[in-house]
PDB file of all heavy atoms in Angstrom:
ATOM      1  N   GLU I  25     169.290  57.871 -64.598  1.00 61.00           N
ATOM      2  CA  GLU I  25     168.633  57.945 -63.316  1.00 61.00           C
ATOM      3  C   GLU I  25     169.083  56.798 -62.424  1.00 61.00           C
ATOM      4  O   GLU I  25     169.212  55.672 -62.861  1.00 61.00           O
ATOM      5  CB  GLU I  25     167.115  57.894 -63.501  1.00 61.00           C
ATOM      6  CG  GLU I  25     166.548  59.107 -64.215  1.00 61.00           C
ATOM      7  CD  GLU I  25     165.033  59.059 -64.270  1.00 61.00           C
ATOM      8  OE1 GLU I  25     164.457  58.152 -63.633  1.00 61.00           O
ATOM      9  OE2 GLU I  25     164.449  59.923 -64.932  1.00 61.00           O
ATOM     10  N   VAL I  26     169.303  57.128 -61.167  1.00 68.00           N
ATOM     11  CA  VAL I  26     169.702  56.119 -60.195  1.00 68.00           C
ATOM     12  C   VAL I  26     168.440  55.498 -59.593  1.00 68.00           C
ATOM     13  O   VAL I  26     167.583  56.216 -59.069  1.00 68.00           O
ATOM     14  CB  VAL I  26     170.573  56.723 -59.084  1.00 68.00           C
ATOM     15  CG1 VAL I  26     170.940  55.656 -58.052  1.00 68.00           C
ATOM     16  CG2 VAL I  26     171.829  57.348 -59.685  1.00 68.00           C
ATOM     17  N   ARG I  27     168.312  54.199 -59.664  1.00 74.00           N
ATOM     18  CA  ARG I  27     167.141  53.507 -59.142  1.00 74.00           C
ATOM     19  C   ARG I  27     167.204  53.473 -57.625  1.00 74.00           C
ATOM     20  O   ARG I  27     168.202  53.086 -57.039  1.00 74.00           O
ATOM     21  CB  ARG I  27     167.094  52.080 -59.691  1.00 74.00           C
ATOM     22  CG  ARG I  27     166.000  51.203 -59.105  1.00 74.00           C
ATOM     23  CD  ARG I  27     166.035  49.836 -59.759  1.00 74.00           C
ATOM     24  NE  ARG I  27     165.071  48.936 -59.177  1.00 74.00           N
ATOM     25  CZ  ARG I  27     165.311  48.139 -58.148  1.00 74.00           C
ATOM     26  NH1 ARG I  27     166.512  48.141 -57.599  1.00 74.00           N
ATOM     27  NH2 ARG I  27     164.379  47.329 -57.679  1.00 74.00           N
ATOM     28  N   GLU I  28     166.128  53.916 -57.003  1.00 88.00           N
ATOM     29  CA  GLU I  28     166.075  53.927 -55.546  1.00 88.00           C
ATOM     30  C   GLU I  28     165.636  52.557 -55.050  1.00 88.00           C
ATOM     31  O   GLU I  28     164.581  52.047 -55.428  1.00 88.00           O
ATOM     32  CB  GLU I  28     165.109  55.001 -55.047  1.00 88.00           C
ATOM     33  CG  GLU I  28     165.181  55.213 -53.546  1.00 88.00           C
ATOM     34  CD  GLU I  28     164.404  56.440 -53.096  1.00 88.00           C
ATOM     35  OE1 GLU I  28     163.709  57.034 -53.943  1.00 88.00           O
ATOM     36  OE2 GLU I  28     164.490  56.783 -51.906  1.00 88.00           O
ATOM     37  N   GLU I  29     166.455  51.963 -54.213  1.00 94.00           N
ATOM     38  CA  GLU I  29     166.174  50.624 -53.717  1.00 94.00           C
ATOM     39  C   GLU I  29     164.913  50.613 -52.853  1.00 94.00           C
ATOM     40  O   GLU I  29     164.625  51.554 -52.121  1.00 94.00           O
ATOM     41  CB  GLU I  29     167.349  50.107 -52.887  1.00 94.00           C
ATOM     42  CG  GLU I  29     168.629  49.892 -53.685  1.00 94.00           C
ATOM     43  CD  GLU I  29     168.496  48.795 -54.720  1.00 94.00           C
ATOM     44  OE1 GLU I  29     167.775  47.802 -54.441  1.00 94.00           O
ATOM     45  OE2 GLU I  29     169.080  48.926 -55.802  1.00 94.00           O
ATOM     46  N   LEU I  30     164.173  49.507 -52.943  1.00 96.00           N
ATOM     47  CA  LEU I  30     162.969  49.344 -52.146  1.00 96.00           C
ATOM     48  C   LEU I  30     163.365  49.021 -50.704  1.00 96.00           C
ATOM     49  O   LEU I  30     164.121  48.091 -50.449  1.00 96.00           O
ATOM     50  CB  LEU I  30     162.103  48.217 -52.713  1.00 96.00           C
ATOM     51  CG  LEU I  30     160.807  47.914 -51.958  1.00 96.00           C
ATOM     52  CD1 LEU I  30     159.864  49.113 -52.016  1.00 96.00           C
ATOM     53  CD2 LEU I  30     160.125  46.677 -52.533  1.00 96.00           C
ATOM     54  N   GLU I  31     162.856  49.821 -49.780  1.00 97.00           N
ATOM     55  CA  GLU I  31     163.143  49.604 -48.362  1.00 97.00           C
ATOM     56  C   GLU I  31     161.853  49.208 -47.655  1.00 97.00           C
ATOM     57  O   GLU I  31     160.822  49.880 -47.795  1.00 97.00           O
ATOM     58  CB  GLU I  31     163.725  50.878 -47.747  1.00 97.00           C
ATOM     59  CG  GLU I  31     164.116  50.734 -46.281  1.00 97.00           C
ATOM     60  CD  GLU I  31     164.710  52.008 -45.720  1.00 97.00           C
ATOM     61  OE1 GLU I  31     165.439  52.701 -46.465  1.00 97.00           O
ATOM     62  OE2 GLU I  31     164.435  52.313 -44.541  1.00 97.00           O
ATOM     63  N   LEU I  32     161.910  48.119 -46.894  1.00 98.00           N
ATOM     64  CA  LEU I  32     160.740  47.598 -46.213  1.00 98.00           C
ATOM     65  C   LEU I  32     160.921  47.666 -44.700  1.00 98.00           C
ATOM     66  O   LEU I  32     162.032  47.532 -44.194  1.00 98.00           O
ATOM     67  CB  LEU I  32     160.473  46.146 -46.623  1.00 98.00           C
ATOM     68  CG  LEU I  32     160.310  45.878 -48.118  1.00 98.00           C
ATOM     69  CD1 LEU I  32     160.266  44.381 -48.382  1.00 98.00           C
ATOM     70  CD2 LEU I  32     159.058  46.555 -48.660  1.00 98.00           C
ATOM     71  N   LYS I  33     159.815  47.839 -44.008  1.00 98.00           N
ATOM     72  CA  LYS I  33     159.810  47.820 -42.548  1.00 98.00           C
ATOM     73  C   LYS I  33     158.859  46.711 -42.106  1.00 98.00           C
ATOM     74  O   LYS I  33     157.693  46.698 -42.502  1.00 98.00           O
ATOM     75  CB  LYS I  33     159.347  49.169 -41.987  1.00 98.00           C
ATOM     76  CG  LYS I  33     159.239  49.191 -40.467  1.00 98.00           C
ATOM     77  CD  LYS I  33     158.708  50.546 -39.994  1.00 98.00           C
ATOM     78  CE  LYS I  33     158.572  50.572 -38.470  1.00 98.00           C
ATOM     79  NZ  LYS I  33     158.021  51.885 -37.993  1.00 98.00           N
ATOM     80  N   THR I  34     159.349  45.782 -41.309  1.00 98.00           N
ATOM     81  CA  THR I  34     158.506  44.689 -40.836  1.00 98.00           C
ATOM     82  C   THR I  34     157.731  45.142 -39.614  1.00 98.00           C
ATOM     83  O   THR I  34     158.313  45.454 -38.571  1.00 98.00           O
ATOM     84  CB  THR I  34     159.344  43.449 -40.501  1.00 98.00           C
ATOM     85  OG1 THR I  34     160.033  43.014 -41.673  1.00 98.00           O
ATOM     86  CG2 THR I  34     158.456  42.317 -40.000  1.00 98.00           C
ATOM     87  N   CYS I  35     156.405  45.201 -39.767  1.00 98.00           N
ATOM     88  CA  CYS I  35     155.528  45.632 -38.680  1.00 98.00           C
ATOM     89  C   CYS I  35     154.688  44.448 -38.207  1.00 98.00           C
ATOM     90  O   CYS I  35     154.249  43.627 -39.019  1.00 98.00           O
ATOM     91  CB  CYS I  35     154.606  46.757 -39.147  1.00 98.00           C
ATOM     92  SG  CYS I  35     155.477  48.239 -39.681  1.00 98.00           S
ATOM     93  N   THR I  36     154.452  44.373 -36.907  1.00 98.00           N
ATOM     94  CA  THR I  36     153.688  43.253 -36.363  1.00 98.00           C
ATOM     95  C   THR I  36     152.588  43.744 -35.430  1.00 98.00           C
ATOM     96  O   THR I  36     152.670  44.835 -34.852  1.00 98.00           O
ATOM     97  CB  THR I  36     154.600  42.282 -35.587  1.00 98.00           C
ATOM     98  OG1 THR I  36     155.218  42.984 -34.499  1.00 98.00           O
ATOM     99  CG2 THR I  36     155.667  41.696 -36.491  1.00 98.00           C
ATOM    100  N   PHE I  37     151.574  42.910 -35.319  1.00 98.00           N
ATOM    101  CA  PHE I  37     150.469  43.140 -34.392  1.00 98.00           C
ATOM    102  C   PHE I  37     150.111  41.801 -33.790  1.00 98.00           C
ATOM    103  O   PHE I  37     150.026  40.790 -34.501  1.00 98.00           O
ATOM    104  CB  PHE I  37     149.252  43.720 -35.127  1.00 98.00           C
ATOM    105  CG  PHE I  37     148.014  43.806 -34.271  1.00 98.00           C
ATOM    106  CD1 PHE I  37     147.664  44.980 -33.635  1.00 98.00           C
ATOM    107  CD2 PHE I  37     147.173  42.702 -34.121  1.00 98.00           C
ATOM    108  CE1 PHE I  37     146.518  45.057 -32.851  1.00 98.00           C
ATOM    109  CE2 PHE I  37     146.030  42.771 -33.333  1.00 98.00           C
ATOM    110  CZ  PHE I  37     145.697  43.952 -32.700  1.00 98.00           C
TER     111      PHE I  37
END
Side-chain angles (χ1 to χ4, degrees):
E25 294 185 7
V26 178
R27 174 178 176 270
E28 189 170 7
E29 294 295 325
L30 179 64
E31 183 179 323
L32 304 171
K33 177 183 179 181
T34 300
C35 299
T36 60
F37 172 97

